[in-house]
Amino acid sequence: MQNYARVDLAFERGEGAYLFDGDGARYLDFGSGIAVTVLGHCHPHLVAALTGQAAKLWHCSNLFRIPEQERLAERLAANSFAAKAFFCNSGAEAVEAGLKLVRRYHDETGHPERYRVITFEGSFHGRTLATISAGTNAAHQKGFAPLVDGFDHVAFGNLNEVRAAIGPETAAILVEPVQGEGGIHPADPAFLDGLRAVCDEFGLLLFFDEVQTGIGRTGKLFGYQWSNVAPDLMSVAKGLGGGFPVAALLATDAAAKAIVPGSHGSTFGGNPLAMAAANAVLDVLLADGFLARAAQVGRVLMERTRAVAARHPKVIAEVRGRGLMIGLKCAVPSASLNDALRKRRVLAVTAADNVVRFLPPLIIEAAHVDEAMAALEDACRELAA
């Protein structure tokens, strides 16, 4: 089906921060499959874990215990606010699971009338009917009316609008710590503090969508860890498997108690192959110094990108983001800058608000930053001319 506006470029293999096409041309991958390949391509530890598991067991279903699933849940809980984890295959599934949990939680606690969720302008939560309804991208919603009822949209960062939107049917607030598809808009920590206070005041669940910000992307394991608050539930995907499809809904014990046998499930969720990949990713990310080094490289990349932007204000109007999640707000069409970078064999990703995103693997080093900045400088010179 013609649902992707694909570039006429095909890759044959990958190694570290690079992709290679069929002719052997090398491209610096600063898109990471849209924030997915956090350890680059063909990381030896991931390859060993996945091939080792492939030789033993691929699938057995959740009718039985899956020891590596239990181990992954314990590790995610130990390194986050959460007490429980549900495993699925994609970010949209993790968000859907969270939306179901929100309704079930209030039903179980005696408030079945509570089902509405406050979300934010510029948000993106997936491509299912419910998640496009939770988001606000008109292009994603066109042709799919009627949208799923139950979502109230307010301005991102505006606590007054949040409070005004709360009614007797409000159940939760769903927010991205950094809006990704919306154009790389980091939430002010004070705004997240305010959301936590509002949820506590009105008995709402605070739901963080960390499909893009999670698994080290912002310089900490999870984006919420830059603030003083923790959510009640959180969706995680993209980087969790380092390129293998896997996602999770994490929740506090109080919230997770609403989910009982038969209330939710996934045929492939938490399968042995996915669990081997995700545990291997955590082996690397949780090693001493890894995230600190990635955060430092992110600071350097941000500084260098802003320096290029300052020299070319007619091409790049603003640079924003957190960690290795950087948005270049363009003064020219974002597609033009993205195309110019690709001509110089640097891959990036566009987003809403006329933004080009840098989402490199967390393993990049100074030499990769130098290479990307040389290409960006040259692309900006061309576009400015």
Side-chain angles (χ1 to χ4, degrees):
M1 296 186 185
Q2 300 301 307
N3 54 311
Y4 298 110
R6 289 189 168 108
V7 174
D8 187 17
L9 181 61
F11 297 108
E12 190 172 89
R13 66 184 182 91
E15 182 179 339
Y18 295 99
L19 285 166
F20 299 82
D21 68 16
D23 297 323
R26 189 179 78 170
Y27 290 75
L28 180 62
D29 188 2
F30 263 42
S32 298
I34 315 182
V36 169
T37 52
V38 292
L39 299 182
H41 301 283
C42 294
H43 190 286
H45 185 62
L46 270 65
V47 171
L50 196 55
T51 55
Q53 184 62 49
K56 294 189 293 185
L57 179 65
W58 290 25
H59 179 77
C60 66
S61 101
N62 286 293
L63 296 174
F64 308 98
R65 287 183 56 201
I66 301 175
E68 282 295 285
Q69 188 183 118
E70 295 169 9
R71 177 169 172 254
L72 181 59
E74 289 167 355
R75 298 174 81 185
L76 290 170
N79 289 280
S80 74
F81 71 93
K84 302 291 183 184
F86 164 77
F87 294 106
C88 46
N89 310 288
S90 68
E93 287 178 70
V95 174
E96 284 271 1
L99 294 172
K100 287 181 67 177
L101 186 151
V102 163
R103 292 191 178 191
R104 179 123 185 158
Y105 169 84
H106 286 291
D107 186 79
E108 291 288 312
T109 54
H111 293 282
E113 75 281 2
R114 289 189 162 189
Y115 73 100
R116 303 194 68 82
V117 177
I118 294 172
T119 66
F120 296 92
E121 293 170 6
S123 64
F124 176 81
H125 300 292
R127 296 284 198 154
T128 66
L129 277 174
T131 53
I132 64 169
S133 303
T136 59
N137 190 316
H140 297 165
Q141 298 170 344
K142 181 176 172 54
F144 298 113
L147 297 177
V148 174
D149 180 43
F151 300 99
D152 300 303
H153 305 106
V154 301
F156 187 61
N158 192 321
L159 279 174
N160 290 332
E161 286 198 19
V162 171
R163 284 183 165 275
I166 295 172
E169 296 178 334
T170 306
I173 297 172
L174 172 60
V175 65
E176 300 161 271
V178 181
Q179 288 189 337
E181 298 293 331
I184 311 295
H185 296 282
D188 188 321
F191 175 61
L192 298 182
D193 288 347
L195 293 182
R196 178 73 272 175
V198 166
C199 286
D200 293 342
E201 179 182 349
F202 289 95
L204 313 179
L205 292 178
L206 182 57
F207 184 178
F208 277 14
D209 181 342
E210 294 231 26
V211 168
Q212 190 165 151
T213 56
I215 317 300
R217 177 54 54 192
T218 66
K220 293 184 183 291
L221 189 60
F222 300 109
Y224 82 86
Q225 292 168 336
W226 289 103
S227 69
N228 297 316
V229 306
D232 299 297
L233 59 160
M234 178 172 74
S235 53
V236 184
K238 288 191 179 287
L240 182 57
F244 195 94
V246 58
L249 176 70
L250 306 181
T252 62
D253 195 54
K257 284 179 180 176
I259 298 298
V260 299
S263 59
H264 195 54
S266 170
T267 296
F268 296 107
N271 69 77
L273 283 174
M275 298 299 93
N279 272 309
V281 168
L282 287 190
D283 289 343
V284 178
L285 261 66
L286 297 178
D288 286 346
F290 181 88
L291 286 174
R293 190 200 64 79
Q296 173 58 27
V297 174
R299 286 189 287 271
V300 171
L301 180 60
M302 179 72 80
E303 291 169 4
R304 295 280 301 277
T305 305
R306 283 177 170 158
V308 174
R311 291 191 291 274
H312 300 283
K314 293 183 179 180
V315 179
I316 304 172
E318 181 187 1
V319 178
R320 58 200 183 211
R322 187 167 290 142
L324 287 167
M325 186 177 183
I326 296 174
L328 289 66
K329 166 74 171 177
C330 296
V332 298
S334 58
S336 298
L337 180 57
N338 199 38
D339 290 345
L341 286 168
R342 189 168 58 252
K343 279 170 46 181
R344 291 156 178 83
R345 296 183 181 174
V346 172
L347 305 175
V349 186
T350 57
D353 198 27
N354 202 37
V355 163
V356 169
R357 283 177 282 179
F358 281 158
L359 302 166
L362 308 185
I363 59 165
I364 62 166
E365 300 175 353
H368 300 118
V369 175
D370 291 342
E371 186 177 347
M373 292 302 98
L376 181 62
E377 185 84 50
D378 195 45
C380 286
R381 285 197 200 99
E382 176 191 318
L383 294 172

